[in-house]
Amino acid sequence: MVGGVGGTSAGAAGGGRPLIITEDPLLLDDLLRLCAAAGAEPHVHHEVPEQDGAGGPGGPEGLGGPGGSVGWESAPLVLVGDDAARRVRGAPRRDGVFLVGRDLDDPLVWQRAVEIGAEEVLRLPDAESRLVDRIADVVEGAGRPALAVGVIGGSGGAGASTLACALAVRAARTGERTILIDGDPLGGGMDVLLGGEGAEGLRWPDFAASRGRMGAGALEESLPELHALRVLSWDRGDRVVVPPAAMRSVVSAARRRGGVVVVDLPRRVDEGVAEVLAQLDLVLMVVPGELRAVAAAGRVAAGVRMVARDVRVVVRGRCPGGLDPEAVAALLGAPLAGEVPVEVGLPGRVAEGEPPGAQGRGALARFCDGFWQRALGSAQGVPA
């Protein structure tokens, strides 16, 4: 993600609020609408503010509402209306200045952009999407995207949802910002597994119409919070399909603010699942240690590898006379991420409302803690 274009000091001083300079009421309406779409509350002036916090012709708070004013140099982003370009010519040169207008066919607009040191000339409505992205980058701040891990069952009943839930619970217990995404509409609901099917918040069907850039903060705040993590699950309605564009928007937004994102994946890779797989750093395939399960996992792995860049095997339990973990991984041609023994009593505890991974002394929690210690401690995010 692109950081605040004004630099770290500018972003800190400006509080993530862009500066708008224009007297064109129609253009101002457009810019305020786009700022709202990006989750930003801008400061508005008719000309360059005299100094930080001093206010300008718009008064001590400009036209941007409460919260004090912001200076030309401290604002993380400056949107200059084409009508105001001449009034801005004497301002100090800085990064993050954009010349914006609704009709920029005038060839002299490029000259005016050079005179004020603008990075780009943006014409509305054509550049609306581009402008919303830049404003949203400023609001959300720079930072490393979340480590995104997908979990998929190599065969039916492999325990992928259980592992995905436990990974999210254990990550949240370490203080990581954690979002758990239920990518399997036929899996029964991750909110149910967390004991929060009645929790308030949005579910997948609420995002079905999403397109393009979605605010990361708005997404996170809209989701149910359970066991110190946010969860995006399915409701109990009939909808089982979310358009690929919506899947892409949601997962991208979930990753943007850092931390950890865990996705429970269905075994069938369709277009929507492919959009999710393309954004994951790592996919853990859960496979029981017996030959029939490995055969099924081979077919699943073939579909996942077409999109995912890193697929590893987690062997769950050992069947009498079954394969050892190294043999399972070798047969699937993938690195071994580890073995999760079957945890006695786990189904009963889940039925009583205790999510997988809640007990730190259990085998499942130990596996998850070890995984996150390696993954989050690695300079590359995912250990080799």
Side-chain angles (χ1 to χ4, degrees):
M1 182 185 74
V2 181
V5 287
T8 54
S9 61
R17 296 178 63 178
L19 172 63
I20 297 174
I21 301 177
T22 184
E23 284 187 298
D24 182 337
L26 295 178
L27 178 60
L28 178 58
D29 284 346
D30 284 338
L31 293 178
L32 291 176
R33 172 176 54 83
L34 296 177
C35 284
E41 182 184 357
H43 294 276
V44 181
H45 286 266
H46 298 319
E47 59 187 43
V48 177
E50 294 179 4
Q51 61 184 30
D52 289 0
E61 293 180 354
L63 301 178
S69 190
V70 67
W72 169 269
E73 293 180 84
S74 66
L77 184 73
V78 180
L79 306 177
V80 179
D82 189 39
D83 65 290
R86 290 182 177 84
R87 299 194 298 275
V88 171
R89 278 187 296 189
R93 293 301 175 100
R94 52 152 293 166
D95 294 334
V97 176
F98 294 82
L99 184 62
V100 188
R102 289 178 295 106
D103 184 6
L104 301 183
D105 290 333
D106 179 2
L108 294 180
V109 69
W110 303 105
Q111 178 181 332
R112 294 193 290 276
V114 171
E115 289 173 348
I116 67 172
E119 288 186 16
E120 291 185 48
V121 175
L122 300 176
R123 176 182 179 180
L124 304 182
D126 296 352
E128 285 193 356
S129 177
R130 164 77 172 152
L131 188 50
V132 169
D133 281 352
R134 295 307 298 264
I135 297 169
D137 284 339
V138 166
V139 173
E140 294 169 3
R144 188 173 184 174
L147 175 61
V149 178
V151 185
I152 190 169
S155 62
S161 296
T162 298
L163 178 58
C165 186
L167 283 168
V169 168
R170 299 310 300 174
R173 293 285 175 93
T174 68
E176 288 287 338
R177 169 190 174 269
T178 305
I179 296 181
L180 174 60
I181 297 177
D182 186 352
D184 186 358
L186 303 180
M190 294 300 287
D191 54 352
V192 176
L193 197 54
L194 286 162
E197 59 270 23
E200 292 186 1
L202 302 185
R203 266 64 172 183
W204 264 120
D206 298 305
F207 297 99
S210 301
R211 298 289 186 277
R213 176 77 172 236
M214 178 184 297
L219 170 68
E220 185 173 359
E221 292 171 7
S222 73
L223 301 178
E225 184 173 8
L226 302 167
H227 302 280
L229 60 91
R230 299 282 181 168
V231 57
L232 174 55
S233 189
W234 297 84
D235 61 11
R236 268 24 89 185
D238 295 333
R239 177 183 283 273
V240 294
V241 175
V242 169
M247 301 283 277
R248 179 171 59 249
S249 294
V250 168
V251 176
S252 177
R255 295 198 64 194
R256 205 172 295 127
R257 296 182 76 185
V260 165
V261 173
V262 180
V263 185
D264 180 40
L265 297 163
R267 288 190 293 137
R268 183 174 179 270
V269 180
D270 57 18
E271 190 177 352
V273 174
E275 290 285 359
V276 177
L277 286 170
Q279 298 194 57
L280 299 180
D281 298 297
L282 170 67
V283 176
L284 298 176
M285 177 174 292
V286 185
V287 185
E290 56 97 12
L291 190 58
R292 187 166 178 265
V294 174
R299 292 189 290 272
V300 176
V304 172
R305 284 196 183 103
M306 294 178 65
V307 187
R309 49 183 175 266
D310 191 348
V311 181
R312 306 183 194 181
V313 174
V314 175
V315 177
R316 185 167 183 266
R318 293 198 186 189
C319 300
L323 303 168
D324 61 40
E326 290 77 11
V328 172
L331 287 170
L332 292 172
L336 178 66
E339 178 184 7
V340 180
V342 174
E343 190 168 316
V344 177
L346 178 61
R349 294 198 300 273
V350 170
E352 294 174 357
E354 178 184 293
Q359 289 201 1
R361 63 183 179 273
L364 185 58
R366 288 196 298 271
F367 171 87
C368 296
D369 289 346
F371 172 82
W372 289 127
Q373 185 176 12
R374 295 188 302 273
L376 296 172
S378 168
Q380 300 300 320
V382 181

